[in-house]
Amino acid sequence: MRRSLLSSLRAHLGRLVAACLAIVLGVGFGSLAMIVHSSASHGIDETIGAQYKGVDAVVYPSRATISPTDIAKAQQVSQAAAVVTLTTAYLNAAYPDLVRPTGIEVDSLHDSTVIAGPGTSSGRLPTATNEIAIAARQAAKHKIGLGDQLRIGSFDGKSWTLRVVGLLDDEKSVGTAPAVVTPAAMKIISPDAFVRGIALAAKPGVSQVQLADAARAVVAGELTVYTGKEFVQHEVEDYTHGIDVLGGVFGMFALIALFVACLVIGNTFTIVIAQRTREMALLRCVGASRRQVFTSVLAEASVVGVVASAVGVVFGVALSALALTLSREFDWGIPKVPLHLDLASVFVPLLLGTLATLIAAVVPARRATKVAPLAALRPEAAPAASSRAGVLRLLTGFLLLAGGGVLLAAGAAMHQVLIGVAGGVISFLGVLAVGALLVPALIRLIGALPARGGGVPARIAVANAVRNPKRTAATTSALLIGVTLISLTCVGIASVQKTFDVSMNGQYPVDLTVTAWKEKMPAGAEQQLREIKGITQVVPVSTADVKAGGQEMSVTGIDPAKAGSVIHNQELAGKLKPGTALLAYSTMRALNVQEGSPITIVAGQHKLTLTVALSIGLDPITLTSADLTKLAPTASVTGYWLASDPKANAPDVIDAVQQSIPSVKDLTVEGGLAKRATYTQIFDVLLIVGIGLLGVSVLIALVGVGNTLSLSVLERTRENALLRAMGLSRGQLRRMLAVESLLMAVVAAGLGIVLGLIYGWTGTSALMGGQTVSGGVEYAVPGTLLIAIAAVAAVAGLLASVLPARRAAKVAPAGALATE
């Protein structure tokens, strides 16, 4: 049997290439996910470990603030060789390229002879109170060099000018490296700086546990004390949580790709073994047992699985090295991590790929042993359309569809994601189970048009596509999975984004509000804002200090005729009318008033009674500009409400607004645009990543389509030759195979898009229902994306037919008719 196995592999190697390619792609993708995750986690472990080198215990303010008493007691711990107070001040820095100061974190230096401290990439660390060292990337961003002066200010209005004497080495740091000053300078610029921890180094012979216990005994009980190893792990977990989540997402997509590869492999072995029925029957006739035949098929599958999985691992390692190299070109807030290979990231994909191949080959192998030798030597009869097994499978499929549909509806109605996921999985299994009935029916339906207008080749293609329903269903199921998941991703993300946008319009009805603190807006400020690229509307607002309900407050006045152009919530904009005061919910509670009740507002000698209406996302009290004029005739313009172009780059717009109107000393820019932009960017990245990752499974599925056509060409060699002999040209033969492939791809794409819409909408309802302010969910149909998915699937289906069609067209009719 060993010689038979080797000869079989040599003889049928070409037929197994597609199965090998499917495994290579699936395993390579899994290796990529595991290696990148392992490399990133290992790199952060090493980096954080280096940052806290020499630390044996840490007092951490997780539930309470570290007091000077705690610091003094920690310094008296006899088991400690060194005690360092980790102090950070949150200040403002006036960078030369910005018109207004921005926030900066400043750390206090400490003695680094025992416990590691920051290092510099150029220059030196500060030694005087008028010196500072800042992060190298921050310096490059704001064009600051050694010897430059940097203005540092506190939030209470004090400021100091410090000389930049060093650039901190932040190439291998996690997150944003802050600036540093001497302890004496810290006492001057921020006497009450935040103590983020106390680091202790142990004396020789004292373990980390002993030192931590000693520190725990003297500091306040609400403070958390870690050993050095525990603290490093704590910091690593904070930074790697996102990486772990991303690794889980990558792993999920890798399993999907491997599952699709299993379908392709199973279909390939089914066809290959069906074509070798006579060969196996001859082996049975010359003495091979059923067990030997079964074992030989699994041995063949194991060889294919091991070789293809090994190639896939090598492919994954190469892709990982490329991905990590490219990641170094972008600032993702993590250090530049090198490629790190561990046993799990190499051998787990190898093992999974081999096991997947073996599992996929079990059913075809069992089918091969069930055929009697003499029966196998006779021509194979067409498969029975209504066998007992087929009927049972259809009944099971319809039951799964019904049960899954009920769970889907329940998950959407009850807003339970797990129930919805279970319903989606069960119903999709039902779709796969009834595929042998559903797919041929859809192919006949869709194929009616080309069969009517495409001539003989198109009619033969439709007939060939439905000749073996189980094979056609198995071929399209792999592509169906990929298209369904991509469509689900697109529809789900579009629906969640639309729901989020509607919710954001309710919570943050104004994109940006620009306010001057205790100053008037200068002439020309409105025009400056209008000239900013991405700003579509600018409406001035006035403010005045008033008394309401005996409390001093500030009211905002805006022209109601223009308010609708900057307030996205039109229902809220419609409430703004003369005689009405829009109050935030917190203001209503503070003044003990309800919606619809009267409120009297006093400003100097002027008094006005208005009707209260609830507002969400506006200022504490908002009036019409006419009502504000009645209260404060001299109220000046102190700010503007802005609307932006949804297609504009939100971060650029916000930066431009923050750097506008340079004559205003303290300009506050708020609004929902920043949050909206952050989440929009997240949605866009998720969409791109999801489509890209699921595209791997679609590629594997298309390999399966091409593989099925290739094997069908071999299977129908005599039939195709007979058609050629009867007058079918090479071009018509190629067109016949192209139509057959196109029909399978279009059916898979169409059915996948429909399922994607259903799963996307129900998933959005399960995920977002009850999470919004109104409790409602918005459903979206990303038509352009769905059309693009269908078009790509159709084009890819046509491309999958190119090689099989060329191979079929090259065979001479006379030679093919002579083959057995």
Side-chain angles (χ1 to χ4, degrees):
M1 292 302 294
R2 185 173 65 251
R3 288 196 297 271
S4 173
L5 170 64
L6 294 176
S7 61
S8 174
L9 285 172
R10 286 194 297 267
H12 305 292
L13 183 61
R15 303 182 186 184
L16 297 173
V17 167
C20 292
L21 183 57
I23 285 293
V24 167
L25 290 174
V27 171
F29 188 48
S31 299
L32 170 67
M34 294 190 69
I35 292 171
V36 170
H37 176 262
S38 173
S39 298
S41 298
H42 180 265
I44 289 181
D45 285 350
E46 293 293 318
T47 300
I48 292 182
Q51 289 179 353
Y52 292 100
K53 184 178 179 181
V55 176
D56 294 310
V58 174
V59 179
Y60 188 73
S62 55
R63 298 185 302 273
T65 302
I66 296 176
S67 67
T69 302
D70 294 317
I71 297 174
K73 289 181 177 180
Q75 290 173 342
Q76 299 301 317
V77 173
S78 59
Q79 293 90 336
V83 178
V84 168
T85 304
L86 305 175
T87 308
T88 300
Y90 300 96
L91 304 167
N92 285 322
Y95 293 113
D97 61 328
L98 301 181
V99 300
R100 227 167 264 109
T102 188
I104 186 175
E105 295 180 18
V106 180
D107 282 357
S108 175
L109 286 172
H110 61 262
D111 182 6
S112 58
T113 54
V114 179
I115 296 176
T120 59
S121 57
S122 61
R124 59 176 176 81
L125 294 174
T127 56
T129 56
N130 64 340
E131 296 177 343
I132 188 172
I134 65 173
R137 279 180 290 187
Q138 196 79 349
K141 178 181 178 180
H142 297 291
K143 301 179 176 58
I144 294 178
L146 295 177
D148 290 348
Q149 302 292 323
L150 183 64
R151 191 80 175 164
I152 299 294
S154 60
F155 290 98
D156 58 3
K158 298 178 181 179
S159 62
W160 302 266
T161 299
L162 306 179
R163 187 165 61 92
V164 178
V165 296
L167 302 181
L168 299 179
D169 183 7
D170 55 2
E171 282 293 318
K172 296 182 180 180
S173 64
V174 177
T176 303
V180 295
V181 296
T182 63
M186 179 64 76
K187 290 181 180 180
I188 295 173
I189 63 179
S190 184
D192 300 323
F194 173 68
V195 178
R196 68 180 192 277
I198 305 172
L200 298 89
K203 288 182 178 180
V206 177
S207 68
Q208 290 192 353
V209 174
Q210 291 172 334
L211 181 61
D213 289 341
R216 191 177 294 112
V218 298
V219 299
E222 295 82 6
L223 298 174
T224 303
V225 180
Y226 296 98
T227 65
K229 185 177 181 180
E230 289 172 346
F231 185 72
V232 169
Q233 186 60 36
H234 171 266
E235 294 292 285
V236 167
E237 288 176 358
D238 280 350
Y239 283 106
T240 59
H241 177 68
I243 294 176
D244 291 337
V245 171
L246 188 61
V249 172
F250 270 77
M252 180 186 68
F253 284 121
L255 289 177
I256 291 172
L258 203 58
F259 178 68
V260 174
C262 283
L263 294 176
V264 174
I265 295 162
N267 198 32
T268 300
F269 273 96
T270 298
I271 299 171
V272 169
I273 290 173
Q275 292 172 337
R276 293 166 51 195
T277 300
R278 290 195 173 191
E279 173 190 326
M280 293 184 176
L282 285 172
L283 290 174
R284 294 287 309 282
C285 287
V286 297
S289 64
R290 290 175 182 263
R291 181 177 181 180
Q292 286 177 313
V293 172
F294 181 79
T295 304
S296 68
V297 174
L298 289 187
E300 186 175 331
S302 64
V303 172
V304 171
V306 170
V307 173
S309 298
V311 174
V313 170
V314 174
F315 179 58
V317 172
L319 283 181
S320 301
L322 177 62
L324 291 174
T325 301
L326 293 177
S327 71
R328 297 188 185 107
E329 302 298 324
F330 303 94
D331 185 9
W332 290 349
I334 62 174
K336 296 180 178 180
V337 295
L339 182 69
H340 175 72
L341 299 178
D342 54 21
L343 292 177
S345 60
V346 173
F347 286 102
V348 169
L350 181 65
L351 180 62
L352 287 178
T354 304
L355 288 177
T357 308
L358 284 173
I359 292 171
V362 167
V363 174
R366 288 190 61 192
R367 190 177 295 124
T369 62
K370 289 181 179 180
V371 182
L374 293 178
L377 290 174
R378 293 192 295 268
E380 183 181 3
S386 58
S387 65
R388 181 179 299 177
V391 172
L392 181 60
R393 179 174 179 174
L394 288 177
L395 288 176
T396 303
F398 284 121
L399 288 175
L400 290 173
L401 270 175
V406 171
L407 287 177
L408 269 178
M414 299 168 59
H415 312 312
Q416 295 293 324
V417 176
L418 291 179
I419 295 177
V421 170
V425 172
I426 292 173
S427 61
F428 192 79
L429 290 176
V431 172
L432 295 180
V434 302
L437 177 67
L438 181 62
V439 172
L442 291 175
I443 287 179
R444 289 191 186 95
L445 179 64
I446 296 176
L449 183 61
R452 182 177 302 175
V456 174
R459 289 196 293 273
I460 298 175
V462 175
N464 285 338
V466 299
R467 176 185 295 182
N468 193 323
K470 290 181 67 176
R471 180 186 301 179
T472 302
T475 302
T476 56
S477 61
L479 182 57
L480 173 62
I481 292 173
V483 173
T484 300
L485 290 172
I486 289 180
S487 302
L488 184 159
T489 302
C490 295
V491 172
I493 289 178
S495 298
V496 171
Q497 185 168 8
K498 185 176 180 181
T499 302
F500 174 79
D501 286 341
V502 172
S503 179
M504 284 290 292
N505 288 341
Q507 295 182 22
Y508 301 94
V510 181
D511 284 339
L512 289 174
T513 61
V514 180
T515 308
W517 178 251
K518 294 184 178 180
E519 356 179 12
K520 297 180 181 179
M521 282 291 182
E526 182 176 347
Q527 185 59 34
Q528 290 183 47
L529 293 172
R530 290 186 182 277
E531 291 175 354
I532 294 175
K533 185 178 180 181
I535 296 298
T536 57
Q537 293 290 338
V538 180
V539 176
V541 296
S542 303
T543 58
D545 293 329
V546 300
K547 283 188 177 181
Q551 300 185 33
E552 293 186 357
M553 292 189 168
S554 176
V555 297
T556 300
I558 186 172
D559 185 351
K562 299 178 180 179
S565 63
V566 291
I567 299 177
H568 295 300
N569 187 339
Q570 294 306 309
E571 180 182 355
L572 178 60
K575 294 182 180 179
L576 186 63
K577 52 189 178 183
T580 300
L582 301 183
L583 270 66
Y585 182 71
S586 58
T587 307
M588 291 176 63
R589 289 190 61 184
L591 299 179
N592 196 23
V593 295
Q594 298 179 351
E595 193 166 12
S597 62
I599 182 174
T600 300
I601 302 176
V602 180
Q605 302 298 319
H606 303 277
K607 180 187 297 185
L608 193 63
T609 301
L610 305 167
T611 302
V612 173
L614 175 64
S615 72
I616 299 176
L618 298 184
D619 291 347
I621 302 179
T622 305
L623 316 176
T624 65
S625 53
D627 284 341
L628 181 62
T629 301
K630 295 177 182 178
L631 281 170
T634 60
S636 58
V637 174
T638 55
Y640 299 92
W641 289 4
L642 283 61
S644 64
D645 185 350
K647 297 180 180 179
N649 186 298
D652 291 345
V653 172
I654 294 172
D655 287 343
V657 172
Q658 288 175 335
Q659 299 306 312
S660 65
I661 322 177
S663 60
V664 174
K665 181 181 179 181
D666 193 351
L667 190 73
T668 302
V669 179
E670 298 176 333
L673 184 60
K675 289 190 176 181
R676 190 192 303 271
T678 300
Y679 284 102
T680 299
Q681 186 178 16
I682 291 174
F683 291 138
D684 292 342
V685 171
L686 286 176
L687 186 62
I688 293 172
V689 171
I691 292 177
L693 298 181
L694 291 170
V696 176
S697 63
V698 174
L699 176 61
I700 296 173
L702 291 171
V703 169
V705 173
N707 183 42
T708 300
L709 286 176
S710 297
L711 296 175
S712 297
V713 166
L714 294 173
E715 196 176 49
R716 302 199 299 254
T717 300
R718 290 171 63 86
E719 177 185 322
N720 291 338
L722 183 60
L723 291 173
R724 289 287 313 282
M726 294 175 64
L728 197 71
S729 66
R730 291 185 176 183
Q732 289 176 316
L733 181 61
R734 286 194 291 265
R735 195 192 324 159
M736 179 187 74
L737 291 172
V739 171
E740 184 178 349
S741 176
L742 180 62
L743 286 173
M744 288 190 288
V746 168
V747 166
L751 185 57
I753 288 173
V754 171
L755 291 174
L757 284 168
I758 296 172
Y759 293 149
W761 288 339
T762 54
T764 302
S765 181
L767 181 66
M768 299 294 294
Q771 301 296 320
T772 59
V773 175
S774 63
V777 175
E778 301 292 328
Y779 302 110
V781 180
T784 303
L785 281 174
L786 296 180
I787 292 172
I789 292 169
V792 169
V795 172
L798 286 174
L799 293 176
S801 71
V802 171
L803 291 178
R806 288 185 62 187
R807 189 178 298 115
K810 285 182 179 180
V811 179
L817 287 171
T819 62
E820 185 61 37

